[in-house]
Protein backbone atom coordinates (compact mmCIF):
# COMPACT_ATOMS: atom_id res chain seq x y z
CA UNK A 1 0.00 0.00 0.00
CA UNK A 2 1.30 3.42 -0.92
CA UNK A 3 1.44 5.33 2.38
CA UNK A 4 1.25 8.68 0.58
CA UNK A 5 -2.06 7.82 -1.05
CA UNK A 6 -5.33 8.89 0.56
CA UNK A 7 -8.06 6.26 0.89
CA UNK A 8 -11.70 6.69 1.80
CA UNK A 9 -11.68 3.33 3.57
CA UNK A 10 -8.87 1.08 4.72
CA UNK A 11 -9.86 -2.44 5.70
CA UNK A 12 -7.41 -4.24 7.93
CA UNK A 13 -7.49 -8.00 7.56
CA UNK A 14 -8.04 -10.08 4.45
CA UNK A 15 -10.13 -12.83 6.00
CA UNK A 16 -13.80 -13.44 5.46
CA UNK A 17 -14.86 -10.30 7.32
CA UNK A 18 -12.42 -7.97 5.59
CA UNK A 19 -13.14 -9.48 2.17
CA UNK A 20 -16.89 -9.22 2.78
CA UNK A 21 -16.63 -5.59 3.79
CA UNK A 22 -14.52 -4.88 0.71
CA UNK A 23 -17.04 -6.58 -1.56
CA UNK A 24 -20.03 -4.87 0.04
CA UNK A 25 -18.48 -1.41 -0.11
CA UNK A 26 -17.33 -1.82 -3.70
CA UNK A 27 -20.63 -3.23 -4.95
CA UNK A 28 -23.20 -1.25 -2.95
CA UNK A 29 -21.63 2.16 -2.30
CA UNK A 30 -20.02 4.87 -4.38
CA UNK A 31 -16.76 4.66 -2.41
CA UNK A 32 -13.90 4.58 -4.92
CA UNK A 33 -10.71 4.54 -2.86
CA UNK A 34 -10.66 1.33 -0.80
CA UNK A 35 -7.55 -0.47 0.43
CA UNK A 36 -7.34 -3.89 2.04
CA UNK A 37 -4.27 -4.47 4.21
CA UNK A 38 -3.13 -7.92 5.37
CA UNK A 39 -0.15 -8.33 7.67
CA UNK A 40 0.33 -12.06 7.13
CA UNK A 41 1.84 -13.76 4.10
CA UNK A 42 -1.57 -14.67 2.72
CA UNK A 43 -5.22 -13.82 3.28
CA UNK A 44 -7.45 -15.73 5.71
CA UNK A 45 -4.60 -16.84 7.97
CA UNK A 46 -6.24 -16.11 11.34
CA UNK A 47 -9.96 -16.48 12.09
CA UNK A 48 -10.89 -17.52 8.56
CA UNK A 49 -8.24 -20.21 8.34
CA UNK A 50 -9.57 -23.76 8.14
CA UNK A 51 -7.41 -24.63 11.14
CA UNK A 52 -8.54 -21.69 13.28
CA UNK A 53 -12.16 -21.16 12.37
CA UNK A 54 -14.39 -20.84 15.42
CA UNK A 55 -11.42 -21.21 17.73
CA UNK A 56 -11.95 -17.75 19.17
CA UNK A 57 -11.67 -17.24 22.90
CA UNK A 58 -14.78 -15.25 23.81
CA UNK A 59 -14.43 -13.01 26.84
CA UNK A 60 -18.09 -12.21 27.23
CA UNK A 61 -17.47 -8.52 26.60
CA UNK A 62 -18.87 -8.38 23.08
CA UNK A 63 -21.62 -10.97 23.35
CA UNK A 64 -24.57 -8.61 23.56
CA UNK A 65 -27.06 -11.47 23.88
CA UNK A 66 -25.42 -12.70 27.13
CA UNK A 67 -26.94 -11.80 30.47
CA UNK A 68 -24.63 -9.92 32.82
CA UNK A 69 -24.20 -13.06 34.94
CA UNK A 70 -23.30 -15.19 31.92
CA UNK A 71 -20.86 -12.54 30.65
CA UNK A 72 -19.10 -12.49 34.05
CA UNK A 73 -18.89 -16.30 34.07
CA UNK A 74 -17.55 -16.47 30.50
CA UNK A 75 -14.99 -13.73 31.24
CA UNK A 76 -13.70 -15.61 34.30
CA UNK A 77 -13.42 -18.91 32.41
CA UNK A 78 -11.76 -17.20 29.42
CA UNK A 79 -9.18 -15.63 31.74
CA UNK A 80 -8.35 -19.08 33.16
CA UNK A 81 -7.83 -20.49 29.67
CA UNK A 82 -5.81 -17.48 28.50
CA UNK A 83 -3.52 -17.74 31.55
CA UNK A 84 -3.00 -21.45 30.87
CA UNK A 85 -2.17 -20.86 27.21
CA UNK A 86 0.14 -17.94 27.89
CA UNK A 87 2.11 -19.99 30.43
CA UNK A 88 2.10 -23.28 28.52
CA UNK A 89 5.54 -24.52 27.44
CA UNK A 90 4.32 -24.95 23.85
CA UNK A 91 3.76 -21.32 22.86
CA UNK A 92 2.75 -22.42 19.35
CA UNK A 93 -0.59 -23.69 20.67
CA UNK A 94 -2.32 -20.37 20.08
CA UNK A 95 -2.10 -17.07 18.24
CA UNK A 96 -3.09 -13.90 20.05
CA UNK A 97 -4.66 -11.31 17.74
CA UNK A 98 -6.50 -8.08 18.34
CA UNK A 99 -10.18 -7.46 17.82
CA UNK A 100 -11.50 -5.47 14.92
CA UNK A 101 -11.40 -1.69 15.19
CA UNK A 102 -13.64 0.56 13.11
CA UNK A 103 -13.09 4.28 12.73
CA UNK A 104 -15.40 6.44 10.65
CA UNK A 105 -14.51 10.00 9.77
CA UNK A 106 -11.44 12.08 10.39
CA UNK A 107 -11.87 12.42 14.17
CA UNK A 108 -12.36 8.70 14.77
CA UNK A 109 -9.45 7.79 12.50
CA UNK A 110 -7.18 10.23 14.34
CA UNK A 111 -8.31 8.82 17.71
CA UNK A 112 -7.72 5.24 16.51
CA UNK A 113 -4.22 6.11 15.32
CA UNK A 114 -3.52 7.88 18.63
CA UNK A 115 -4.74 4.88 20.66
CA UNK A 116 -2.93 2.46 18.36
CA UNK A 117 0.35 4.36 18.79
CA UNK A 118 -0.11 4.86 22.55
CA UNK A 119 -0.72 1.17 23.15
CA UNK A 120 2.00 0.08 20.71
CA UNK A 121 -0.42 -2.23 18.92
CA UNK A 122 0.77 -4.25 15.94
Amino acid sequence: MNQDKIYDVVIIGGGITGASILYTLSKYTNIQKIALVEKYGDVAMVQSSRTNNSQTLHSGDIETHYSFEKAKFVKKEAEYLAAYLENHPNQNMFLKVHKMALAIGKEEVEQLIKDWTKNNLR
Side-chain angles (χ1 to χ4, degrees), residues 66-77:
Y66 284 3
S67 67
F68 180 69
E69 291 75 25
K70 183 172 182 178
K72 282 193 333 186
F73 174 79
V74 169
K75 179 177 174 36
K76 181 176 147 190
E77 297 299 313

Side-chain angles (χ1 to χ4, degrees), residues 45-56:
M45 297 296 292
V46 183
Q47 297 304 342
S48 301
S49 170
R50 65 178 176 79
T51 58
N52 292 344
N53 196 16
S54 298
Q55 302 301 316
T56 304

Side-chain angles (χ1 to χ4, degrees):
M1 181 173 81
N2 182 346
Q3 293 182 351
D4 295 329
K5 190 167 181 178
I6 302 296
Y7 294 94
D8 297 318
V9 175
V10 176
I11 301 163
I12 301 172
I16 191 67
T17 302
S20 297
I21 292 169
L22 176 66
Y23 174 80
T24 301
L25 291 176
S26 65
K27 184 160 178 81
Y28 299 106
T29 73
N30 62 356
I31 298 171
Q32 296 294 309
K33 298 176 184 174
I34 305 171
L36 182 121
V37 179
E38 177 58 57
K39 74 176 181 178
Y40 296 101
D42 205 351
V43 297
M45 297 296 292
V46 183
Q47 297 304 342
S48 301
S49 170
R50 65 178 176 79
T51 58
N52 292 344
N53 196 16
S54 298
Q55 302 301 316
T56 304
L57 179 60
H58 292 273
S59 302
D61 58 345
I62 61 170
E63 307 299 336
T64 57
H65 60 286
Y66 284 3
S67 67
F68 180 69
E69 291 75 25
K70 183 172 182 178
K72 282 193 333 186
F73 174 79
V74 169
K75 179 177 174 36
K76 181 176 147 190
E77 297 299 313
E79 287 171 351
Y80 287 146
L81 179 58
Y84 171 79
L85 291 172
E86 289 174 357
N87 293 298
H88 194 277
N90 182 358
Q91 289 294 311
N92 294 325
M93 286 178 55
F94 72 102
L95 174 65
K96 188 174 185 178
V97 294
H98 299 285
K99 296 178 182 177
M100 182 188 316
L102 176 64
I104 300 172
K106 184 177 179 181
E107 287 181 27
E108 288 185 14
V109 169
E110 289 172 355
Q111 184 63 47
L112 181 62
I113 291 169
K114 180 180 171 186
D115 292 344
W116 193 273
T117 305
K118 176 183 168 189
N119 294 309
N120 195 24
L121 301 174
R122 290 181 182 87

